[in-house]
Amino acid sequence: MIAIVNNGMGNLFSIYNALDYVGGNPRIVRDPEGLDGAEGIVVPGVGAFGSCMDRLCRFEGALESARDCGTPIFAICIGLQILFEESEESPAARGLGWIKGKVVKLPLSVMIPQMGWNSLSIRRPVEMLQGIEEGDMFYFVHSYYGQPVDKSLIVATTEHGVDVTAAIARDNLFATQFHPEKSGAKGLRILENFVRAIRC
Amino acid sequence: MLARRIIPCLDCDLGVPGGRVVKGIEFKQIRYAGVPWELAGQYYEDGADEIVFLDITASHERRETMTSVIKKTSRSVFVPLAVGGGINSVEQAREVFNAGADKITVNTSALKRPELISEISNRYGNQAVVLAIDAKRRYTFEEGRRMVETEQGPCWFECSFYGGRQFTGIDAIAWASKAVSLGAGEILLTSMDRDGTYDGFDIPLTNAVAKRVKVPVIASGGCASPQHMLEVFKKTDASAALAASIFHFGEWNIRNVKTYLKERGVNVRK
């Protein structure tokens, strides 16, 4: 079973439908206890950094234990951003702090939010990006992006005025700034890789 | 770099069970094209970057038909889905989002009550609110209008509502910038002069709005060929081109339109 953390707002059906489509047995989980026994966890993110953290903080302990147990975790969009320590979007809020670094605003010279399909530059091949080629396009909607202190965590970037962190990987943790559930066949392929990672 | 998007539009008549996709000519004459969720699935397979569903019959009972169309579509179509037609409250927007829509488009309801744009964008984010504008050329000089040069002389653009049946006296270019300041994250800009005519997009209109606002502009109305898409992408900053008839009835599908554009230097998704 893959637990989709219910962040209390927005559209979880897309990610539910996409995981279901690739054979992932998803379940939307409303309480931290729901993460017990999950073989994989998806942390979707909608809204602002601060309000997303407000709604997710009660899951913090359960997410940390799952991470420490080696459960594959997939964070999406703001879900990626809250892995960081802080964000320019909500200066008073703190993130999960799993990844050292900060979330910063896209440069003012470009369209904000970045909304639409943009191509990936693959920095480091990882299992989760199997079947994805240099230049494949994914659907992005965001105004901020993560800057990890340890650049080697970045496995893919996209160009929008600057090199934008598009995907991060560390051990059993994988996160994308883009929405795999809205990125057609290529996005489904990444979700399929996630399902496969759980099964092995 | 962001790709230019190709967006098929499904005008849905929801007065029959399951709904049907129709297409009007200059907002009047109607032809039938197919079943909404089936066509959406086909366009997704063909490489659509996003799909727009417009409820042209918009009434309460029919919104339930629309939510069931979206639920069915979102089970197997994995690109952004935008839904519009008759949405005039956050509550109604919520029903559509919960069915699986990523964006809602507002037109008449926002012209009548502009705060609706802020109400929805505050709750769901700017990216989730698309302002649809149906604009008609007016070749009369009036004080305070934003005049635009065209081959037929200077004109301004008037917003219409109720599916093109009534005019508002509102300047479309001014309305676009106001809507963006209220929280609209995208403008779906339809030329009433071109819609259904197969004469190509209204380039001066698209240019005027795309230069004025910082959010993506979707050009709509008049597209009958890949040449028309090429023209709008080469001559304007439109982020996307929307079309209906060319995909419903024409000999072109989305995949070969994209190949055509790519060969001519337009950045599109494969």
Side-chain angles (χ1 to χ4, degrees), chain A residues 9 11 13-14 17-18 21 108 111 114-118 136-137 139 141 159-160 181-185 188, chain B residues 1-3 5 44 49 74-75 78-80 97-98 100-103 123 127 185-186 214 216 239 267 269:
Chain A
M9 74 176 287
N11 182 354
F13 301 102
S14 302
N17 287 335
Y21 191 85
L108 291 169
M111 202 184 282
Q114 158 161 241
M115 177 155 62
W117 297 81
N118 208 337
D136 281 347
M137 288 188 175
Y139 191 75
V141 183
E159 196 259 310
H160 189 60
E181 77 281 15
K182 286 288 157 191
S183 295
L188 291 177
Chain B
M1 203 175 58
L2 280 173
R5 288 172 282 157
Y44 167 67
D49 295 312
S74 62
R75 259 178 238 139
F78 300 104
V79 292
F97 284 125
N98 284 350
D102 301 284
K103 306 175 182 183
R123 178 75 178 80
Q127 84 293 336
E186 213 163 354
K214 280 200 81 178
S239 296
N267 178 27
R269 181 176 68 109

Side-chain angles (χ1 to χ4, degrees), chain B residues 93-231:
Chain B
R94 195 177 67 88
E95 287 172 25
V96 180
F97 284 125
N98 284 350
D102 301 284
K103 306 175 182 183
I104 62 116
T105 81
V106 289
N107 184 342
T108 306
S109 53
L111 279 161
K112 289 168 73 180
R113 201 171 65 80
E115 315 83 73
L116 178 66
I117 295 171
S118 320
E119 291 166 14
I120 303 174
S121 66
N122 286 341
R123 178 75 178 80
Y124 292 97
N126 294 15
Q127 84 293 336
V129 185
V130 183
L131 176 77
I133 295 178
D134 292 334
K136 186 143 182 85
R137 291 185 178 195
R138 298 296 183 206
Y139 293 95
T140 52
F141 181 80
E142 289 177 35
E143 205 59 49
R145 299 298 187 188
R146 282 165 181 78
M147 303 302 287
V148 173
E149 279 305 325
T150 72
E151 283 172 14
Q152 291 77 33
C155 71
W156 62 281
F157 292 91
E158 183 177 6
C159 287
S160 100
F161 56 10
Y162 293 105
R165 291 188 291 274
Q166 285 183 41
F167 285 89
T168 59
I170 293 168
D171 186 300
I173 298 166
W175 171 229
S177 24
K178 185 180 175 198
V180 169
S181 69
L182 289 170
E186 213 163 354
I187 305 284
L188 165 50
L189 183 64
T190 302
S191 160
M192 293 187 65
D193 304 280
R194 296 299 178 91
D195 195 65
T197 62
Y198 305 137
D199 288 340
F201 295 99
D202 190 328
I203 301 295
L205 170 66
T206 310
N207 235 333
V209 176
K211 280 198 168 22
R212 185 92 189 170
V213 298
K214 280 200 81 178
V215 302
V217 170
I218 304 167
S220 156
C223 181
S225 71
Q227 287 88 332
H228 290 149
M229 294 208 177
L230 182 66
E231 185 189 24

Side-chain angles (χ1 to χ4, degrees), chain A residues 32-71:
Chain A
E33 298 76 52
L35 298 185
D36 291 346
E39 299 158 282
I41 296 172
V42 172
V43 185
V46 190
F49 184 90
S51 55
C52 185
M53 261 322 278
D54 286 345
R55 290 186 304 270
L56 269 180
C57 60
R58 59 199 191 93
F59 284 92
E60 192 169 350
L63 284 170
E64 264 169 27
S65 342
R67 177 199 61 186
D68 295 342
C69 291
T71 308

